Amino acid sequence: MNALLKRVWTGLAATLVVSLAAVVMPDHIQIADDGRVHLGAPVSTPSPSSAEPEPEFTSPPLTRDAVDETIRTAIGAAGLDPAQGRPVGAAGADAKRTGWTAVREKSAAQAEMNAVCADLERQGWKSNPNPKGDSPDASRSYKRGGWYLLVSTRGKTQAPSTTSTVTDSQTYLTLAAFQLNLSDLPLPDITVRIG
């Protein structure tokens, strides 16, 4: 009985590790034809004739103050006044999360979001598309220096506060940033046979 429980718990743990790794680091998951799942660095070696893959963009870690400045600059580049919105989280309350949100007219929000995104790219933020969540018209994701930043416009029904006075012609323009340092979470090389 103990051996059976041990196998069940081992299987559950392996499934959890594979699921977590697939969400956090999809480029580090490989499933072989025989059903083996490999986590960690790629096991295949490129052929000498194949071109070298481009290294993933990396940048030095950013502080919350630097991210706050990035957000203010991008908002200003869109022709908006940062003081007319409100910060997401109080300054200094959470060193790993920050942002800004403001009520905007729907007719202008898309152009403002496009301008914000263009300035983020100018500042060196790289697109980090989420195929299940991003929509060019409603939200876009970026990453840089251990931070992830989501720029979105969202309607009245998804307003952050039930006391907000958003009309049918208005929406929110929101920049939400959070720090996630995956290098602090070492991922061991594990091979699991499923089936």
Side-chain angles (χ1 to χ4, degrees):
M1 184 67 170
N2 285 340
L4 177 62
L5 285 175
K6 185 176 180 182
R7 288 179 66 188
V8 168
W9 283 112
T10 301
L12 288 172
T15 302
L16 177 63
V17 169
V18 169
S19 299
L20 179 62
V23 170
V24 175
M25 302 178 77
D27 296 337
H28 287 72
I29 303 293
Q30 296 177 354
I31 301 175
D33 293 336
D34 64 357
R36 291 178 187 257
V37 177
H38 180 78
L39 307 177
V43 292
S44 61
T45 57
S47 65
S49 62
S50 66
E52 286 288 319
E54 285 188 32
E56 184 176 335
F57 175 80
T58 58
S59 64
L62 295 175
T63 63
R64 177 182 165 159
D65 290 341
V67 176
D68 284 337
E69 183 58 31
T70 292
I71 290 172
R72 280 191 296 274
T73 301
I75 292 166
L80 302 171
D81 180 0
Q84 290 181 339
R86 63 179 173 84
V88 175
D94 187 348
K96 296 188 178 203
R97 193 177 65 153
T98 188
W100 179 88
T101 189
V103 176
R104 306 299 306 152
E105 291 297 320
K106 286 181 183 177
S107 59
Q110 184 64 52
E112 292 165 349
M113 185 176 99
N114 291 342
V116 165
C117 292
D119 193 70
L120 288 173
E121 292 171 13
R122 181 196 62 78
Q123 292 185 60
W125 286 75
K126 298 297 178 190
S127 178
N128 184 41
N130 174 2
K132 293 182 181 177
D134 279 4
S135 161
D137 296 337
S139 67
R140 295 185 207 155
S141 304
Y142 293 90
K143 63 182 176 179
R144 182 175 179 211
W147 284 80
Y148 293 82
L149 197 152
L150 176 68
V151 182
S152 68
T153 58
R154 52 190 186 160
K156 181 178 178 181
T157 58
Q158 298 174 341
S161 169
T162 56
T163 61
S164 183
T165 57
V166 179
T167 67
D168 290 337
S169 67
Q170 295 175 321
T171 188
Y172 282 91
L173 175 62
T174 303
L175 286 80
F178 64 95
Q179 186 179 32
L180 180 62
N181 190 352
L182 295 178
S183 65
D184 291 342
L185 304 169
L187 183 63
D189 284 339
I190 299 173
T191 301
V192 179
R193 181 172 174 84
I194 298 176

